[in-house]
Amino acid sequence: GIICISILDQFPSARGVAVEPSPIAAALTEENARRCGVADRLQVVNATAEEWAARLEESNSFDLLVSNPPYIPSGELPDLMPEVRDFEDAGALDGGADGLDIVRQVLQAATKAGSRGAKVFLEVHHTHPAAFERAAAALGAGGDAGVGDGAAARALADVLLLGRGVQLTRTIEDFFGQPRFVELSVE
């Protein structure tokens, strides 16, 4: 919720919806919105992205979707730094076997909630930006042209909804030079 609160703080005429699957996180988001003076412009929804999108009364009405979903592959959780592994809610970290389970839900929600051309920004696992790039290249090259296994890249593009609702705009590195973010657009 803090991402949405920060955006609302910087853009006084904007309104937003913070989707939090954890009731504790949703309550904390409401409290922080009050403290930051943006509660009147923020709706907090205690649901998954998938549940939220299914309940939307008006489709394609959002211009911006930003998410920091759980993106760590399940197999990597035991090897996380103790200060992360031992104190963070596992539900906020575990992105499933490939780390993309919730990312896929967010992208599916974006295709329903986002207006045509809406921007989607995601923080993802350091291996995901390259996967998005391979998938986008496979679409643009008909599944070959040096992107490795063309069929696998096309399958990944399908799973990530590339060419079926969203398109990759770019990938972005974090302050440490690690690939960490993807920017997409709703088609």
Side-chain angles (χ1 to χ4, degrees):
I2 196 62
I3 295 172
C4 193
I5 291 170
S6 297
I7 291 170
L8 293 177
D9 182 63
Q10 293 299 303
F11 297 92
S13 63
R15 293 176 294 119
V17 177
V19 179
E20 289 286 358
S22 161
I24 295 169
L28 185 58
T29 298
E30 289 175 335
E31 179 183 332
N32 286 336
R34 279 190 297 277
R35 287 181 180 183
C36 293
V38 300
D40 60 328
R41 296 183 291 124
L42 179 65
Q43 176 188 6
V44 179
V45 178
N46 180 210
T48 66
E50 186 175 42
E51 293 165 343
W52 169 71
R55 296 190 296 222
L56 275 178
E57 293 178 16
E58 186 179 343
S59 295
N60 308 111
S61 59
F62 288 80
D63 298 320
L64 175 67
L65 294 101
V66 180
S67 180
N68 179 11
Y71 58 73
I72 299 171
S74 300
E76 292 184 18
L77 293 174
D79 297 325
L80 290 176
M81 296 178 294
E83 56 270 23
V84 174
R85 180 191 63 230
D86 297 342
F87 296 99
E88 291 288 334
D89 176 8
L93 301 173
D94 191 348
D98 62 0
L100 291 168
D101 286 359
I102 310 303
V103 170
R104 284 187 282 269
Q105 286 183 26
V106 170
L107 292 176
Q108 185 66 48
T111 65
K112 181 168 184 192
S115 60
R116 183 173 176 82
K119 295 295 181 187
V120 180
F121 292 92
L122 302 174
E123 180 176 349
V124 294
H125 189 266
H126 65 90
T127 61
H128 294 159
F132 274 89
E133 289 171 341
R134 283 193 309 276
L139 284 178
D144 42 50
V147 294
D149 181 352
R154 281 192 310 277
L156 180 61
D158 194 49
V159 166
L160 295 175
L161 301 177
L162 297 181
R164 293 188 321 114
V166 295
Q167 73 178 43
L168 180 65
T169 303
R170 65 183 173 144
T171 61
I172 305 164
E173 294 179 345
D174 64 18
F175 290 124
F176 297 105
Q178 295 295 312
R180 183 66 61 202
F181 306 97
V182 293
E183 177 186 342
L184 305 110
S185 294
V186 175
E187 298 178 314

